[in-house]
């Protein structure tokens, strides 16, 4: 791999996996990226012991996978993967050219997504997103998304064929790797360029919540797409183009 080639580190959100990036991967590779899209611990076939799931474990797992990768990194976090991207960027800021959030959780240091939603739900009841639809194990440490909610909340803007293929791939999710609170410093994460890709029809991380996070963590470049919660599936070429432009503008 050329030393200057950018690796797009694609970080999935809750109940998903590396598979959620399959549609966009060819478009990213056509733009010149190398792609790394791992499954995170605490979800699906990597569920493990839910008691051990945490943001720190997700970051450590990604750091290990990146040990053999050379060259600059673009971190891309979808939905809850945004919090993981933030914490990873704080840890390895010297390797990162920027962080992109796809309808992602771009959070202030020490604040969780649930805190943001709680502050908005009276004004925007739809801000509760997927929460009311979840099915929980008795100990409340693992949740699942019912198929009907996957269709109506996550994938309302893609074809029935795509939905039928995706529904069986959604996974149980440990709460310890879902309710994530990043902590970061102005000197590390805070100095890095950021891109926020808005999903204007998102029913999970609804647009007012996306824009509140942009206010709480100001300074991101913004691209708005007319998609639901998974723009990398609904509009992969547009997302890849936005990521390529962002990376090119910040590659030294």
């Amino acid at each position: 791999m050329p030393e200057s080639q950018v690796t797009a580190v694609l970080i999935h959100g809750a109940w998903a996996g590396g598979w959620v990036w399959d549609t966009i991967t060819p478009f990213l590779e056509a733009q010149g990226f190398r792609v790394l899209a791992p499954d995170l611990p605490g979800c699906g076939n990597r569920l493990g012991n839910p008691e051990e799931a945490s943001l720190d474990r997700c970051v450590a797992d990604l750091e290990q996978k990146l040990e053999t990768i050379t060259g600059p990194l673009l971190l891309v976090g979808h939905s809850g993967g945004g919090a993981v991207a933030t914490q990873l960027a704080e840890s390895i800021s010297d390797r990162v050219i920027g962080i992109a959030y796809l309808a992602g959780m771009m959070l202030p240091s020490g604040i969780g997504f649930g805190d943001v939603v709680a502050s908005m739900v009276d004004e925007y009841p739809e801000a509760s997103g997927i929460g009311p639809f979840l099915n929980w194990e008795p100990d409340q440490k693992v949740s699942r998304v019912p198929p009907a909610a996957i269709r109506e909340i996550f994938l309302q803007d893609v074809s029935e064929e795509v939905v039928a293929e995706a529904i069986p791939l959604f996974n149980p999710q440990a709460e310890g790797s879902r309710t994530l609170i990043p902590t970061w410093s102005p000197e590390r994460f805070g100095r890095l360029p950021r891109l926020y890709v808005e999903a204007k029809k998102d029913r999970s991380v609804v647009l007012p919540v996306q824009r509140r996070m942009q206010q709480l963590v100001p300074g991101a470049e913004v691209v708005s797409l007319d998609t639901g919660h998974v723009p990398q599936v609904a509009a992969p070429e547009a997302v890849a183009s936005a990521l390529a432009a962002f990376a090119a503008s910040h590659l030294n």
Side-chain angles (χ1 to χ4, degrees):
M1 181 181 74
E3 188 67 24
S4 61
Q5 186 177 17
V6 177
T7 297
V9 184
L10 309 180
I11 304 172
H12 67 81
W15 309 288
W19 60 267
V20 82
W21 304 102
D22 288 352
T23 302
I24 198 174
T25 291
F27 294 96
L28 291 171
E29 291 174 341
Q31 292 281 2
F33 289 104
R34 177 177 178 174
V35 171
L36 179 68
D39 293 336
L40 294 178
C43 185
N45 60 11
R46 300 197 66 197
L47 182 64
N49 180 358
E51 296 274 4
E52 297 175 353
S54 69
L55 178 56
D56 287 345
R57 287 199 70 186
C58 291
V59 170
D61 189 79
L62 288 166
E63 287 179 328
Q64 184 178 33
K65 288 178 170 58
L66 290 169
E67 287 178 356
T68 59
I69 303 294
T70 59
L73 305 175
L74 173 66
L75 308 185
V76 185
H78 173 237
S79 191
V84 181
T86 295
Q87 198 66 58
L88 180 62
E90 174 70 13
S91 180
I92 60 168
S93 60
D94 56 329
R95 300 188 61 191
V96 176
I97 61 168
I99 311 108
Y101 298 84
L102 307 187
M105 295 179 187
M106 185 173 69
L107 297 165
S109 184
I111 300 294
F113 182 70
D115 299 316
V116 178
V117 169
S119 72
M120 299 183 67
V121 74
D122 286 346
E123 183 178 2
Y124 300 98
E126 67 275 18
S128 58
I130 196 66
F133 300 90
L134 298 179
N135 292 332
W136 293 89
E137 291 194 356
D139 61 6
Q140 299 288 298
K141 292 177 181 175
V142 174
S143 61
R144 292 171 172 80
V145 184
I150 293 172
R151 177 50 161 152
E152 293 302 320
I153 306 299
F154 289 160
L155 296 173
Q156 86 276 13
D157 62 331
V158 302
S159 70
E160 293 291 348
E161 180 181 5
V162 169
V163 172
E165 292 176 355
I167 281 176
L169 301 176
F170 278 85
N171 295 308
Q173 178 74 44
E175 193 69 354
S177 57
R178 184 181 81 94
T179 53
L180 307 176
I181 301 177
T183 55
W184 52 267
S185 65
E187 299 77 21
R188 296 180 67 81
F189 167 81
R191 68 175 176 78
L192 294 170
R194 287 172 288 111
L195 172 69
Y196 200 97
V197 178
E198 296 183 337
K200 293 168 66 177
K201 293 181 177 178
D202 198 332
R203 296 176 179 174
S204 180
V205 183
V206 297
L207 187 59
V209 175
Q210 295 177 53
R211 291 184 172 170
R212 180 66 57 84
M213 290 188 290
Q214 292 170 41
Q215 294 168 354
L216 292 170
V217 190
E221 302 168 36
V222 178
V223 170
S224 294
L225 297 178
D226 200 28
T227 74
H229 184 57
V230 195
Q232 68 269 38
V233 174
E237 188 169 8
V239 173
S241 294
L243 294 176
F246 175 66
S249 67
H250 297 289
L251 186 61
N252 294 325

